[in-house]
Amino acid sequence: MAIYSDLGVPRIINAKGPSTRVSGGFLAPEVIAAMAEAATQCVDMAELQAAASRVIGRITGAEAGIVTTGAAAGLLLGTAACVAGLNPARMAQLPDVTGPQPEVIVVRSQRNAYDHAVRAAGVRLVEVGLPDRYAGAGVRDAEPWEIAAAITPATVAILYVDSSHSRPTLAEVVAVAHEHGLPVLVDAAAQLPPVSNLQALIAAGADLVAFSGGKAISGPQGSGILCGRRDLIMSAILQNLDLDLDWEHWNPPANLIDKHRLPGLPTHGLGRTCKVGKETLVGLLVALERFAAESDDSRQRRWLQTLDELCALVPEVAFSLRLETVPRLALALPHARQACFALQNGSPAVHIDPSELHLGKILINPTCLQTSDLPALANALREIMINSPA
Ligand SMILES: *Cc1c(COP(=O)(O)O)cnc(C)c1O
């Protein structure tokens, strides 16, 4: 492979998982072929997003869906939709709207660095709840009544960051939100697998769900999905598409954009900053079909096989296997942090999952490893074992 060496950029071995910093994972040949084919012809982007909406709707159970440039872009577009609705004047104002600054309520323990994408739409995040269970001070977290008490006339949505330990449950948050006529926007960027989550969050009543395309779905690194309520998805795509044409000549696909609900044509929106290319869109759809068609068991078996093959190459290394949603190998080392640096500075550089370095462990995530990576990874691990003082 010459492309990276021609650019003078060394390749790395990605045992960390599909993080943006390490360029995500790799694409299946079918996804690459679809992207290459898509690159050779032009289409109307609104028609292509309308086709995407049909595929995403079928797979997620949502009324509509669009391909985005990532889950973060989905959060930006989804928030913009909650602020502007189908009002082109308000779309044009974003991120500064007249009147009180729009508010999005979020449980304090769910705050994270990715919610910058929500704030980028011009809203103020209003935190509720005291996460005692994280502070070690108790068992409680935010409660539904605290969300209800924070709702004001400026509230436009509730943000829910989904994970197995998120509290209150999504169903509880949806109940409060809908009682007050507010939408729930779910950040589910990394909540796949299980594959059932493609439908479960929508089924629990979420109005908008953002998934990352570059993580487990194994789509293009700069891709994602935003799916949910038809009117909100319509607002999101209106703020993302290039609409530089005349109202009379505009004939958008009816399953995605209902022209009759608009007083006129919106201008370039906030989401123009995260426009989606046709190749990315097609690649994501093919990857999504493949992801949805594979069972969690089959995926797990593939990943376990990769880890097995690695273990077989270095029988002297005492890994312990973690059977989690994504299985990982853990290796306890006396100087795990130094070992991590040594691996990163090796040739080829090896990036491991550093989330337990503070516990003296390096973790190997199989999802972005190819069989051809394994001998070099095994050598690098053998080397740090030899050089690691006992
Ligand atoms: C990865 C991640 C994102 C961002 O996803 P992209 O597809 O890279 O934009 C957002 N939120 C959470 C919780 C994530 O883990």
Side-chain angles (χ1 to χ4, degrees):
M1 176 122 25
I3 189 81
Y4 291 128
S5 61
D6 287 354
L7 291 166
V9 178
R11 65 166 298 232
I12 61 178
I13 292 178
N14 182 1
K16 179 176 190 302
S19 300
T20 298
R21 180 169 66 75
V22 288
S23 74
F26 51 89
L27 301 178
E30 291 90 328
V31 177
I32 297 168
M35 292 177 76
E37 193 182 331
T40 63
Q41 276 190 26
C42 295
V43 291
D44 181 312
M45 283 309 294
E47 296 288 346
L48 192 55
Q49 284 283 17
S53 185
R54 285 189 285 273
V55 174
I56 294 167
R58 166 168 52 78
I59 291 177
T60 63
E63 291 175 3
I66 53 174
V67 178
T68 65
T69 53
L75 294 176
L76 175 76
L77 293 172
T79 307
C82 294
V83 176
L86 297 179
N87 182 341
R90 211 156 154 86
M91 291 178 190
Q93 286 174 349
L94 285 179
D96 307 299
V97 293
T98 48
Q101 188 180 15
E103 294 172 356
V104 170
I105 297 170
V106 60
V107 167
R108 183 170 279 110
S109 64
Q110 294 177 21
R111 285 294 316 270
N112 66 88
Y114 292 109
D115 62 36
H116 207 142
V118 173
R119 293 194 290 121
V123 306
R124 188 168 74 85
L125 286 177
V126 175
E127 297 180 5
V128 300
L130 279 179
D132 275 2
R133 64 194 176 113
Y134 289 104
V139 297
R140 295 173 60 166
D141 202 318
E143 311 220 355
W145 62 263
E146 294 179 282
I147 295 173
I151 294 172
T152 73
T155 309
V156 296
I158 318 288
L159 171 66
Y160 189 85
V161 182
D162 187 58
S163 78
S164 54
H165 46 82
S166 300
R167 296 287 181 280
T169 65
L170 177 57
E172 289 171 319
V173 173
V174 164
V176 178
H178 289 181
E179 208 173 290
H180 292 82
L182 290 168
V184 177
L185 166 62
V186 178
D187 178 352
Q191 296 310 303
L192 302 170
V195 68
S196 57
N197 270 354
L198 282 172
Q199 298 197 347
L201 305 166
I202 290 291
D207 299 274
L208 287 169
V209 180
F211 293 108
S212 182
K215 292 180 178 169
I217 290 175
S218 299
Q221 161 61 6
S223 73
I225 294 168
L226 181 68
C227 60
R229 238 168 65 190
R230 188 175 300 285
D231 61 319
L232 291 172
I233 294 296
M234 173 173 159
S235 174
I237 196 65
L238 285 169
Q239 298 184 73
N240 188 222
L241 284 174
D242 177 351
L243 299 176
D244 186 21
L245 37 63
D246 292 322
W247 176 253
E248 310 85 71
H249 297 154
W250 189 42
N251 187 21
N255 73 309
L256 188 60
I257 299 170
D258 180 359
K259 184 176 174 179
H260 303 106
R261 296 187 67 181
L262 293 169
L265 201 54
T267 57
H268 289 310
L270 184 82
R272 175 56 203 253
T273 49
C274 49
K275 74 172 187 181
V276 185
K278 58 186 181 300
E279 306 82 6
T280 297
L281 190 154
V282 164
L284 182 278
L285 291 185
V286 174
L288 177 62
E289 294 276 13
R290 287 171 48 85
F291 178 81
E294 184 174 21
S295 72
D296 292 332
D297 278 353
S298 154
R299 227 179 327 267
Q300 180 94 2
R301 272 197 303 278
R302 276 197 293 113
W303 289 334
L304 283 173
Q305 179 167 352
T306 301
L307 295 179
D308 271 354
E309 284 174 33
L310 176 63
C311 290
L313 290 171
V314 272
E316 68 272 33
V317 177
F319 294 112
S320 61
L321 175 63
R322 302 265 183 88
L323 278 174
E324 302 156 328
T325 313
V326 174
R328 291 179 298 179
L329 292 176
L331 177 58
L333 289 166
H335 300 283
R337 216 168 271 282
Q338 285 92 320
C340 172
F341 291 143
L343 287 167
Q344 272 182 38
N345 293 329
S347 180
V350 171
H351 290 256
I352 53 94
D353 177 342
S355 55
E356 291 187 15
L357 284 181
H358 64 293
L359 301 174
K361 288 175 184 161
I362 66 171
L363 301 173
I364 307 281
N365 177 316
T367 59
C368 302
L369 288 172
Q370 311 202 54
T371 309
S372 55
D373 292 328
L374 298 181
L377 175 57
N379 279 338
L381 291 169
R382 196 176 292 122
E383 208 136 295
I384 60 159
M385 292 302 288
I386 292 167
N387 295 331
S388 176

